Structures are given as C-alpha cells and as structure tokens.
Amino acid sequence: AQRVTQPEKLLSVFKGAPVELKCNYSYSGSPELFWYVQYSRQRLQLLLRHISRESIKGFTADLNKGETSFHLKKPFAQEEDSAMYYCALSYPITYNNTNAGKSTFGDGTTLTVKP
Amino acid sequence: KAGVTQTPRYLIKTRGQQVTLSCSPISGHRSVSWYQQTPGQGLQFLFEYFSETQRNKGNFPGRFSGRQFSNSRSEMNVSTLELGDSALYLCASSKGRGAETQYFGPGTRLLVL
C-alpha cells in the first residue's frame, strides 16, 4: 500500500538558517511526488512537484528512488516560510493501475521560522 | 479563473443526522477529490470523481458517499453522523486524473455534537 511519512511534526529554525523537511514514501510502481503548503488562514496549495523540477520560493526537492525520499530543502529560511507542509504521492494513469487517481498525503510538518 | 469553492463553510449537526457538502471545481477541471482533515489523522483520501463516476475510494465506511454532476460539480454525503466525523472536509479539483496538480477549496468545517 502506498504510504507517505513525514517524521517531523514540528520543525523550528532561525531566519537565514537552512531548512530540510523530510519525506519518505513506500510505493509499488512509479508515483509522482508533490509538496503542498498551507499558510495561516489560506488554503492548501501546490509548492512544487517532482516532474517539473522547478524551484519555488527558493525551495527544491530531490527525488531519491534508492532511499524512497523526497526531502524539501531551502538554503536560507525566511519568516514567511512559516507554514504547514505536506508531502503527497499520486499515481499516473496507466493500464491496470488500481491506484490511479488516489493521492496519499503525509501527516504534515509545521515549520516555524524564528526572527 | 475562480478557484475551487465549497459550501457551506461551517456546519453543526447532531449525531445520527446526515449532511451534504458541495464543491464547485475550477472551470475546465473534470476531476474532483474529497479529503477528510483532522488533527489526529491528517489528510485522508475519501474518493475521486471523474466524468460523473467514482474512480477511486479511500478506506471510509459506506456512510460516506458522493456524486458528480455533468458540470463537474460534486457533492459528498455523510449519513448517520458520528462524533468522529467532526473534521474539515476538503475538495480538490484537477484537469484530469492521475498525477495532476490538485487545487484545493477552503474546506467545510463540520462539527458533530
């Protein structure tokens, strides 16, 4: 069964420090990995996805298939990065993929960036 | 483009009642997924609808059901409400199925007394 694990419920760093939010997954097949973010009083929104290989707001995430990880990193955290971050896994539509269309989210990590 | 909208935003019900929540996806989006968000369980996948058909379902009892209309709008229904159904119910839409970016609504907060 697909599973996404975010081992840290809470993460606190100082402004300007590097930050890494961990995400590990278990899968069967070739899933697509995402990071979603929820800022205070805002709706959940996409931060980045593996397939686009973009850097959004200074964040990057590298897919490590050997370690089944998709950790989110930023070299210099900003106070406006304080938010809840969710790692998510989805399956593409392929023949005989009963998981297609189903998304699995981790429990989320609350990041606090202190001044 | 208008974002995903959900109605109502807040709801208070008592045990045993039933509730219907509504979701209007972004124009042109044909896939709608529903999630239950609670502090203890995080985001749990309920079901996915595409072209008026339920395509996938999470591990929830049969009291949870849904449907999708020809204009892609979706509703979910919970019958015989239990205290544990108190949660934020999120709807997300995407253009198609599979590994697509999902766009979330603001959620409907349901409190069961």
Side-chain angles (χ1 to χ4, degrees):
Chain A
Q2 58 198 65
R3 188 179 179 87
V4 177
T5 303
Q6 293 180 249
E8 306 127 333
K9 270 195 173 320
L10 303 170
L11 187 61
S12 181
V13 300
F14 285 101
K15 176 182 172 182
V19 63
E20 179 179 72
L21 290 84
K22 291 183 168 52
C23 171
N24 291 91
Y25 64 93
S26 62
Y27 77 103
S28 55
S30 300
E32 178 64 19
L33 279 302
F34 301 79
W35 277 99
Y36 285 87
V37 62
Q38 188 167 30
Y39 300 103
S40 178
R41 297 190 183 87
Q42 293 186 29
R43 60 184 69 186
L44 200 56
Q45 59 186 289
L46 177 73
L47 180 62
L48 58 80
R49 55 184 294 179
H50 165 248
I51 198 169
S52 63
R53 299 186 187 279
E54 291 178 295
S55 171
I56 307 294
K57 298 186 179 184
F59 284 96
T60 58
D62 291 320
L63 179 61
N64 186 322
K65 290 187 176 180
E67 295 181 359
T68 58
S69 68
F70 190 56
H71 301 329
L72 184 69
K73 300 177 184 179
K74 185 170 184 177
F76 307 103
Q78 303 299 314
E79 289 180 69
E80 55 265 31
D81 296 328
S82 295
M84 181 77 145
Y85 291 81
Y86 291 93
C87 181
L89 175 161
S90 296
Y91 282 93
I93 301 296
T94 58
Y95 175 74
N96 209 27
N97 182 356
T98 57
N99 287 319
K102 182 185 285 189
S103 295
T104 300
F105 282 73
D107 288 341
T109 297
T110 300
L111 172 66
T112 302
V113 181
K114 296 181 282 189
Chain B
K1 252 186 193 175
V4 177
T5 58
Q6 292 186 245
T7 56
R9 292 294 310 278
Y10 303 92
L11 210 46
I12 299 176
K13 292 285 187 179
T14 55
R15 277 182 299 174
Q17 287 187 308
Q18 76 163 21
V19 67
T20 300
L21 312 181
S22 182
C23 170
S24 292
I26 290 172
S27 178
H29 285 195
R30 297 174 61 195
S31 176
V32 173
S33 295
W34 287 89
Y35 297 87
Q36 182 193 66
Q37 186 177 31
T38 58
Q41 299 290 324
L43 237 71
Q44 301 290 311
F45 174 80
L46 277 156
F47 24 65
E48 179 220 4
Y49 283 88
F50 182 83
S51 291
E52 302 177 62
T53 303
Q54 187 182 93
R55 304 291 180 148
N56 223 315
K57 193 176 189 317
N59 295 325
F60 280 83
R63 300 185 296 107
F64 291 81
S65 63
R67 59 178 174 169
Q68 187 180 33
F69 303 94
S70 57
N71 62 358
S72 296
R73 191 177 70 84
S74 177
E75 289 181 346
M76 68 162 278
N77 184 76
V78 188
S79 62
T80 320
L81 283 166
E82 300 178 359
L83 295 179
D85 297 333
S86 295
L88 181 68
Y89 290 88
L90 294 173
C91 160
S93 75
S94 57
K95 286 182 182 176
R97 299 195 61 221
E100 296 256 353
T101 297
Q102 295 183 79
Y103 295 83
F104 285 83
T108 293
R109 187 164 294 282
L110 172 65
L111 177 61
V112 182
L113 302 174

